[in-house]
Amino acid sequence: MATLSLRRKLCREILNRTSISRGVRHTRRLSTKPPVKNVDQAIRTHKGDNVHALESESGLSSFKWMSQFGPEFLIRGEQVQVITEPDQFYQVLKLKTRKAKRRVTLASLYLGNGNLESDLVACVREACEEAVTSGNSDFEVNVLLDYTRGSRGKFNSRSMLRPLMADYKSVQVALFHTPDLRGILKRLVPDRFNETIGLTHVKLYLFDDSFIISGANLSNDYFMNRQDRYILFNDCPELANFFNDLVKAIMSFSLSLSADDSLSLAPDWDIHPYQDSDNGLRFKLAARKKIQSCLRLGESVTDIRKRDRQKVREENVADGQSSGTLPPDTAVYPLVQMGPLGVSYDEQAMLGLLRSSQPQDNILLASGYFNLTDHYMAVILDQSQAKFSILMASPQANGFLGAKGIAGAIPYSYIYLAHQFLRKVQSRQQLPRIHMMEYSRDSWTFHGKGLWYYLPGHALPSLTLVGSPNFGYRSVYRDLECQVAIVTENKGLQEQLREEHVNMYSSSSPVTEATFHRRDRHVPLWTRLVTSVIKHFF
């Protein structure tokens, strides 16, 4: 009886967490930008009634409506480099870190504890030492990790960074603790499984005015044989300032780590993430206010810069001079999703993108963990008209394959979810429009995510989404996520993006009904039963 009572308490605690998050999300939609149902109207405002008469329309103007969900930054495509291999990603991380003169900002789920990670930390140390030697007191290092993942095990992310903190006061480390992991949940849910309640999943690596946005963590596999996506922005001060401010905003309501491994609330923050008595509501509202303030700041800075550039152009034209600089050909929209805090810009932009697509459009969508929300699935199946090619990890390329305990069943849960989705596609007679693909590469795992968008009549993509979201329940409702929409008319960048997805899809094969009848795709009954419940946690 005692065990049954304990289970009931645990279930009530989970339901309480969910209801609070939903309440905050509802408040967010009532109090700020237009909700999802008004996206179509917003798109038509930018495009006119003929939403997709796009044969002659530029990519930039086609997606201008996205500016209502993220501040718009205008740059040149030459400032963007697509990285395709894990080793190249790792080498760029080390090189950029060593050469940084003003700031290094690293936001990741966790930092591994192997030799490759130690070498990366050594690069941070080298930059810190150079700043000390040169008398550069303005140099700073900010590291944001997740509390649960970064604290797992005796030798963990915290262990890797504490010596650096002890030697250099310029190094600050913050651990985000979700306000939904509290009370009986925090006491009973063991390490590793407590991560399913919620965490920070933002992956951003910034060096002075350059940065990489990715879905990759700072860990050995991600530097060697775990396929992901990585986009490098070079010398983009406005964008870099925005993302640096965003990461520091999250750090401001995270737990600050000290060199002695103790944790404390950040300065100017007095709300504990899980020890208050209001189920985290005050924390969520205050944290959301911080994020919204950061987003508004990004918008105002962008508008000021655009006005300044326009003023210079007008003055040069009046003087009969050329500005000497090429006009922007690429727009970047940061899209933030923080379900526990009621921030849903990324979800709204994604739904708008799917809903506004037309029969001539082609969308290539990738997710390392295929677990689309009901909302995303409904829009893809019943409202979107584009052709889809959906790429996911095969069981052999799933990072959980071979894991001990119940985690080892996770790849089979994804098999079950993919099969359910394919049956829905079949029942709606959508097979000619929606194709499913599996990534499989010997000794590699797959963690790629995002999408590539082809407008009608275009041989190169006009838009890509890249960052941390997987488009699943965790991404939308439980974790802190961030990605960017890159809209470009720059042929060089478009060719890079095309080459990126061609290379990724070249290691894939079609998924059909026959795929799920293979012996290695057998899903045990207990896994099928459990998946319908636990799919909201992975």
Side-chain angles (χ1 to χ4, degrees), residues 168-183:
Y168 302 99
K169 294 182 179 179
S170 59
V171 179
Q172 303 295 321
V173 178
L175 303 171
F176 172 78
H177 190 296
T178 177
D180 288 334
L181 181 62
R182 57 177 50 244

Side-chain angles (χ1 to χ4, degrees), residues 381-490:
L381 291 168
D382 301 324
Q383 297 181 38
S384 181
Q385 299 181 55
K387 293 181 180 178
F388 282 84
S389 180
I390 300 175
L391 181 63
M392 58 189 179
S394 69
Q396 293 74 25
N398 191 296
F400 286 97
L401 187 69
K404 295 180 180 180
I406 194 172
I410 291 179
Y412 298 96
S413 291
Y414 286 118
I415 293 173
Y416 179 63
L417 291 169
H419 194 189
Q420 282 188 316
F421 180 74
L422 181 62
R423 285 178 170 173
K424 290 179 180 179
V425 174
Q426 292 170 327
S427 68
R428 289 166 170 78
Q429 300 181 336
Q430 296 285 337
L431 282 175
R433 187 176 69 88
I434 302 174
H435 302 140
M436 299 181 70
M437 308 287 289
E438 275 188 351
Y439 180 97
S440 181
R441 185 176 175 185
D442 189 35
S443 301
W444 281 61
T445 56
F446 182 69
H447 199 246
K449 53 187 73 71
L451 64 76
W452 301 261
Y453 199 115
Y454 285 76
L455 291 171
H458 291 240
L460 298 172
S462 296
L463 177 147
T464 191
L465 297 181
V466 60
S468 63
N470 281 296
F471 312 118
Y473 283 87
R474 286 280 303 274
S475 291
V476 175
Y477 302 118
R478 295 191 174 276
D479 297 343
L480 308 190
E481 305 275 10
C482 182
Q483 66 178 339
V484 295
I486 304 172
V487 183
T488 185
E489 298 172 351
N490 184 285

Side-chain angles (χ1 to χ4, degrees), residues 463-525:
L463 177 147
T464 191
L465 297 181
V466 60
S468 63
N470 281 296
F471 312 118
Y473 283 87
R474 286 280 303 274
S475 291
V476 175
Y477 302 118
R478 295 191 174 276
D479 297 343
L480 308 190
E481 305 275 10
C482 182
Q483 66 178 339
V484 295
I486 304 172
V487 183
T488 185
E489 298 172 351
N490 184 285
K491 187 175 181 181
L493 177 54
Q494 289 177 326
E495 289 175 341
Q496 287 188 70
L497 292 171
R498 176 175 171 78
E499 183 180 356
E500 177 194 32
H501 85 67
V502 167
N503 288 340
M504 202 170 288
Y505 275 73
S506 67
S507 296
S508 68
S509 57
V511 175
T512 66
E513 181 65 30
T515 305
F516 298 101
H517 293 290
R518 289 164 38 180
R519 293 183 63 182
D520 64 340
R521 305 307 167 95
H522 173 69
V523 181
L525 176 61

Side-chain angles (χ1 to χ4, degrees), residues 151-219:
S151 303
R152 186 200 292 180
K154 291 184 178 180
F155 187 49
N156 50 38
S157 304
R158 294 159 67 166
S159 309
M160 292 287 289
L161 294 168
R162 280 163 42 212
L164 200 62
M165 298 179 67
D167 293 341
Y168 302 99
K169 294 182 179 179
S170 59
V171 179
Q172 303 295 321
V173 178
L175 303 171
F176 172 78
H177 190 296
T178 177
D180 288 334
L181 181 62
R182 57 177 50 244
I184 192 170
L185 280 181
K186 187 167 178 65
R187 292 196 298 271
L188 295 183
V189 179
D191 287 348
R192 191 170 191 175
F193 292 99
N194 57 9
E195 299 166 27
T196 63
I197 306 302
L199 40 74
T200 177
H201 201 240
V202 175
K203 320 291 177 63
L204 189 92
Y205 311 114
L206 187 147
F207 327 92
D208 293 339
D209 289 334
S210 300
F211 65 93
I212 297 172
I213 190 161
S214 177
N217 292 304
L218 299 177
S219 181

Side-chain angles (χ1 to χ4, degrees), residues 364-384:
L364 293 87
L365 188 149
S367 178
Y369 303 116
F370 183 79
N371 184 19
L372 295 177
T373 66
D374 291 338
H375 206 168
Y376 283 157
M377 279 196 291
V379 172
I380 290 173
L381 291 168
D382 301 324
Q383 297 181 38
S384 181

Side-chain angles (χ1 to χ4, degrees), residues 524-537:
L525 176 61
W526 74 268
T527 303
R528 283 178 273 165
L529 294 174
V530 170
T531 297
S532 61
V533 177
I534 66 172
K535 70 178 182 178
H536 299 93
F537 294 88

